[in-house]
Amino acid sequence: MRKRNENLDRPVSDLKGVGPAITRGLAGRAIHTIEDLLFFLPTRYEDRREIRPISEIEEGEPALIVARVLTQGSLSFRRGGKAGYQAVVTDDTGTICLKWFHHPPRYLKESASKGTLLLISGKVTRFGAQRQIVHPDVMPLENEEESREYKAVIPLYPEIEGVKRGILKRLVKKAFEDHGASLESLIPVGIESRHRLPSLREALEALHFPHVPPPLSDEDFVERKRLIIEEFFLFQAAVLLEREEGRRFPGIRLDINNDLYRGTLGNLTFDLTTAQQRVLEEIEGDMAGLRPMNRLLQGDVGSGKTILAILASCIAVGDGLQAAFMAPTEILAEQHYLTVHRMFEETGVPVFYLRGDMGKEREETLRRMESEKSFILIGTHALLQKDVTLTRLGLVVVDEQHRFGVSQRRTLKQKGFMPHVLVMSATPIPRTLSLVLHGDLDVSILDELPRGRHRIATHVLPDSLRSEAYRMIEAELEKGRQAYMVYPLVEQSEKVDLLDATAMASHAETLFPGRRIGLLHGKMKPREKEQIMSAFKAGEVDVLVCTTVVEVGIDVPNATVIAVEHAERFGLSQLHQLRGRVGRSTFPSKCLLLTQAKRTEQASRRLKILAKTNDGFLIAEEDLKIRGAGEMLGLRQSGLTGFRIGDLRRDGETMALARELAAEALKEWSHPEAEEIKAIFAKRWSHGLNVFDIA
């Protein structure tokens, strides 16, 4: 790695002409250092290389003209309480009107006074029969020959409050003159050469001081892509260094041929899919290896992640250790407990369950855990409490991992010494985001559903077809199947005109006479939730009227239809998760998305995507395009929108390339060089994400 120019870290206020007001304005755009200023790029360019006669310029075109002021004076009306100003200019071919609404008249009287020769640039519009240029850039000239000095491609930067564009251009030029020659890439020179990347200095010079207008498409703009690679490279290098740091310590090497694991695997009543077999081999390799497993298991709803987590638990427990299985909700944790307990009833393996409000039952569970050497512990955040002791923790499983904070996952992991970690997510994440959020994890993907599963037929139904939706639900009930009806509210609200679960549970009794109706929502007590879910799973409830509390982890194979009310108000990912509550058996299933007549264009786009595909990974990619990384999975608060140039929606391939370059660089760097990269990253992202909290 080449020596970094430390002057780039100097505050931007060190530049001549930057006082407190300009410093504050620049800080509002996250420009704190000389380097920040150099990486603050133009958003578009104006070609001012060709001066044209007034008679040839057309409405809607950018124009560059040389003309003399014929008349000037105040406009006859005001905008925002400020007087406007106008000047009529002429050349040998015609006249055009220049107008300003927010500039001080005194300044304009001096720079655009009658008889002054001006170099004028701006976009031509029309007001009635008159052609005009509103808020043009004007430059007084001594003569027409002087105009040659100003013909150029002009970079146009984003507006900064309190900093005029002319001042900003001068500051960028000064920063480049003083420090441009010493700009060095963080990417090793050999890698830069092998991948034929332009130098950092060349790329910045082409962007700030272009000789020709850059391409309209970012994909064709080599210099811009070069700078995106630079910042993505720094991010990925920091992630990979953290990953290597976590692998320095030896893990617990486990026997993957122990009797419990091999016996459980051999007694499965179904065949694993090809994808499950592939992922299981990856898990076996990790747990039998010298380093602790740190793996993300991504799989669409219903793809069979839970059985793999149970089999991983068998490897740990069968070798005399403990496995802790944490889920984000009591309903999901309870379901995991019942599934695991049922599987291990005849093996003698203790399976314990902890939730938040168990009272004396909790004390008894903790006492029994102390008397056991190895066991499986399943629960919610209650597993994180200090009195939960896991002296022989060999495996940590975190389900729906994005619902837990970093510190919570770390707390559970630290109850043992370097245990294997398997985190699972049924919320597909686009590859670009996965490289950012989970770059320090090995990723396994289940991209295949169990045999015999059908594609869920998805219908978007306006409110006028509500009766058709009810008819389809009744048709499934007639076959002996069960249904979900999902509502956005628990109870009626005066603030929003939405249907609520509580009122609609009563209404469902009239819609489906003779059917057994259940109600489930987040405000119910844990024991009440358990009772209603147990009744639904046992087939004692025909229609479960509920809120989105059923979004994650509910597995009722006999449920074949789900109706989501006010579907236009839900996000793509949430609708996909809700749809995944059905289609969990060989029975054909339906998802009915009931919508109001008024919905946004974005809502309509989401619903069309959902109706078109069941592929969660494709849906996640579309969700990224619609919402952007800042909103997906609550990332806006995490600092992941802090990239200066790169856009995670647009630059996915560039992020993948940056990771490849960072992996190459790690093989070349010495320890001091690696530490310097960490320090540079910490400075660069001091106002945003701390990558070392992604783990």
Side-chain angles (χ1 to χ4, degrees):
M1 188 178 74
R2 289 162 286 193
K3 182 69 177 175
R4 178 177 168 80
N5 178 12
E6 294 182 357
N7 285 329
L8 295 174
D9 294 327
R10 287 168 52 194
V12 73
S13 56
D14 283 2
L15 288 174
K16 186 177 180 180
V18 179
I22 291 178
T23 300
R24 285 193 298 272
L26 294 174
R29 281 283 189 169
I31 301 172
H32 305 281
T33 66
I34 303 293
E35 183 183 66
D36 292 336
L37 180 62
L38 289 173
F39 279 80
F40 187 71
L41 302 180
T43 51
R44 60 191 180 91
Y45 297 84
E46 197 170 276
D47 190 352
R48 298 184 185 175
R49 293 176 300 166
E50 183 183 358
I51 295 173
R52 298 171 63 192
I54 291 176
S55 61
E56 293 183 9
I57 57 178
E58 299 289 338
E59 182 182 354
E61 290 183 344
L64 181 67
I65 59 178
V66 174
R68 200 172 294 277
V69 179
L70 192 62
T71 64
Q72 100 285 350
S74 297
L75 286 165
S76 58
F77 61 91
R78 291 172 174 262
R79 283 194 180 183
K82 293 184 179 180
Y85 193 82
Q86 67 179 349
V88 176
V89 297
T90 182
D91 63 7
D92 294 337
T93 68
T95 62
I96 193 167
C97 187
L98 312 180
K99 292 182 181 179
W100 296 266
F101 296 111
H102 303 296
H103 288 255
R106 182 179 175 183
Y107 160 76
L108 292 168
K109 284 177 182 176
E110 293 173 359
S111 60
S113 58
K114 186 175 179 179
T116 303
L117 186 67
L118 299 175
L119 178 68
I120 304 157
S121 63
K123 188 175 181 179
V124 179
T125 59
R126 187 173 291 277
F127 182 71
Q130 184 185 60
R131 287 182 304 166
Q132 63 180 12
I133 301 177
V134 178
H135 291 292
D137 285 339
V138 296
M139 174 76 68
L141 301 174
E142 291 293 330
N143 52 61
E144 289 195 26
E145 288 297 313
E146 189 184 355
S147 66
R148 293 178 182 175
E149 298 177 24
Y150 300 101
K151 289 193 287 186
V153 176
I154 305 298
L156 298 177
Y157 295 86
E159 288 191 9
I160 298 179
E161 187 175 351
V163 184
K164 292 179 180 178
R165 279 181 170 170
I167 292 174
L168 179 63
K169 289 175 189 174
R170 287 197 294 273
L171 292 178
V172 171
K173 186 177 181 181
K174 177 64 175 170
F176 198 84
E177 286 173 350
D178 290 351
H179 306 291
S182 55
L183 276 166
E184 294 288 0
S185 174
L186 299 174
I187 302 172
V189 64
I191 294 175
E192 195 175 57
S193 176
R194 282 198 297 275
H195 290 270
R196 298 180 180 177
L197 300 178
S199 74
L200 200 59
R201 186 184 188 284
E202 289 169 345
L204 280 169
E205 186 172 22
L207 287 159
H208 286 301
F209 316 107
H211 299 298
V212 295
L216 293 175
S217 168
D218 272 329
E219 287 75 13
D220 299 327
F221 201 166
V222 175
E223 288 80 10
R224 181 181 286 274
K225 184 176 180 179
R226 170 65 183 86
L227 297 184
I228 295 170
I229 289 172
E230 185 77 16
E231 70 171 350
F232 282 0
F233 173 86
L234 174 60
F235 188 95
Q236 287 298 336
V239 169
L240 291 176
L241 284 167
E242 174 69 4
R243 176 175 172 169
E244 290 301 308
E245 184 77 17
R247 292 182 170 187
R248 284 195 308 149
F249 301 98
I252 306 168
R253 194 168 188 175
L254 298 177
D255 176 14
I256 61 172
N257 290 307
N258 68 68
D259 293 341
L260 177 65
Y261 173 56
R262 289 301 166 188
T264 304
L265 188 59
N267 290 330
L268 292 178
T269 57
F270 54 87
D271 294 330
L272 295 177
T273 65
T274 303
Q276 285 176 312
Q277 291 171 358
R278 182 188 69 244
V279 172
L280 187 58
E281 289 175 4
E282 292 169 346
I283 291 171
E284 286 179 350
D286 286 345
M287 298 184 77
L290 296 174
R291 289 176 170 176
M293 176 169 69
N294 205 22
R295 185 167 292 278
L296 166 68
L297 175 53
Q298 258 192 283
D300 218 337
V301 285
S303 59
K305 296 180 298 300
T306 303
I307 187 60
L308 296 179
I310 292 172
L311 290 171
S313 299
C314 289
I315 295 174
V317 175
D319 207 13
L321 299 178
Q322 301 156 350
F325 204 130
M326 186 167 69
T329 66
E330 290 183 357
I331 289 177
L332 181 54
E334 172 90 2
Q335 182 164 294
H336 284 323
Y337 170 71
L338 294 174
T339 301
V340 175
H341 189 268
R342 217 168 18 244
M343 284 188 68
F344 292 98
E345 233 170 352
E346 297 178 3
T347 64
V349 174
V351 181
F352 299 109
Y353 174 60
L354 284 177
R355 64 170 191 270
D357 60 341
M358 296 175 68
K360 290 185 177 180
E361 186 182 353
R362 174 187 171 84
E363 295 176 15
E364 174 63 18
T365 299
L366 293 175
R367 187 188 63 75
R368 288 170 54 210
M369 284 168 53
E370 288 178 5
S371 65
E372 297 288 348
K373 178 182 175 183
S374 63
F375 53 78
I376 298 175
L377 173 62
I378 298 171
T380 60
H381 299 74
L383 271 59
L384 304 176
Q385 298 300 314
K386 289 183 179 179
D387 59 353
V388 179
T389 304
L390 299 167
T391 55
R392 296 178 58 80
L393 183 61
L395 173 68
V396 170
V397 177
V398 181
D399 199 5
E400 292 301 325
Q401 60 82 31
H402 64 277
R403 292 178 172 233
F404 291 99
V406 171
S407 60
Q408 293 170 318
R409 297 196 295 273
R410 186 175 291 153
T411 297
L412 181 57
K413 181 179 174 180
Q414 289 175 345
K415 286 182 179 287
F417 178 73
M418 301 306 292
H420 298 284
V421 177
L422 179 66
V423 296
M424 304 193 299
S425 176
T427 302
I429 303 170
R431 185 182 180 219
T432 307
L433 283 187
S434 187
L435 286 172
V436 174
L437 284 174
H438 306 300
D440 61 325
L441 300 175
D442 295 311
V443 179
S444 294
I445 294 178
L446 288 175
D447 51 6
E448 180 184 4
L449 290 178
R451 294 175 182 84
R453 296 284 177 91
H454 297 272
R455 180 183 183 277
I456 302 167
T458 303
H459 306 273
V460 180
L461 301 171
D463 198 51
S464 58
L465 293 179
R466 177 176 298 278
S467 58
E468 175 66 12
Y470 295 152
R471 186 195 65 75
M472 285 193 273
I473 293 172
E474 179 59 37
E476 291 300 306
L477 299 178
E478 282 289 325
K479 298 174 188 175
R481 310 288 177 247
Q482 294 163 275
Y484 297 92
M485 296 182 72
V486 182
Y487 295 87
L489 299 179
V490 174
E491 297 172 334
Q492 190 174 15
S493 170
E494 295 180 1
K495 296 180 180 179
V496 287
D497 185 21
L498 300 175
L499 296 175
D500 63 281
T502 304
M504 292 308 292
S506 299
H507 185 53
E509 294 176 356
T510 62
L511 290 173
F512 308 106
R515 304 297 183 186
R516 297 163 296 180
I517 310 298
L519 174 64
L520 179 70
H521 56 74
K523 291 185 178 180
M524 297 169 71
K525 294 179 179 178
R527 185 55 60 187
E528 291 176 317
K529 292 180 192 174
E530 290 172 21
Q531 288 173 347
I532 191 66
M533 275 311 304
S534 296
F536 190 54
K537 284 178 71 71
E540 298 165 4
V541 169
D542 300 310
V543 180
L544 184 64
V545 179
C546 55
T547 60
T548 56
V549 70
V550 299
E551 179 186 346
V552 173
I554 306 302
D555 186 9
V556 181
N558 193 50
T560 57
V561 60
I562 183 168
V564 183
E565 290 277 5
H566 300 289
E568 74 281 353
R569 299 181 68 90
F570 295 93
L572 257 179
S573 176
Q574 192 171 34
L575 286 172
H576 180 59
Q577 289 283 356
L578 288 169
R579 177 170 61 182
R581 297 314 100 212
V582 297
R584 306 183 78 86
S585 66
T586 57
F587 304 129
S589 297
K590 296 181 179 69
C591 174
L592 312 177
L593 303 176
L594 292 159
T595 69
Q596 297 299 306
K598 291 183 179 180
R599 60 181 189 238
T600 65
E601 183 180 337
Q602 195 177 87
S604 297
R605 184 178 170 189
R606 288 197 301 265
L607 295 170
K608 284 180 183 176
I609 292 166
L610 211 70
K612 185 172 66 174
T613 182
N614 276 201
D615 186 334
F617 291 94
L618 178 58
I619 287 169
E621 293 290 347
E622 293 297 326
D623 202 14
L624 178 60
K625 291 176 186 175
I626 292 172
R627 292 196 289 161
E631 293 182 8
M632 281 193 73
L633 306 178
L635 301 182
R636 185 167 296 285
Q637 283 73 42
S638 75
L640 280 175
T641 51
F643 290 112
R644 290 184 292 208
I645 310 167
D647 184 325
L648 295 179
R649 280 180 292 189
R650 180 194 63 207
D651 302 318
E653 290 184 9
T654 307
M655 179 65 81
L657 172 60
R659 186 173 179 84
E660 290 177 22
L661 300 185
E664 283 185 54
L666 253 63
K667 297 174 184 176
E668 298 184 14
W669 283 334
S670 64
H671 179 70
E673 288 174 325
E675 291 301 310
E676 186 175 355
I677 281 288
K678 284 185 180 181
I680 293 169
F681 180 87
K683 283 183 180 179
R684 163 68 185 90
W685 285 82
S686 62
H687 304 283
L689 176 72
N690 178 1
V691 72
F692 306 118
D693 277 345
I694 297 178

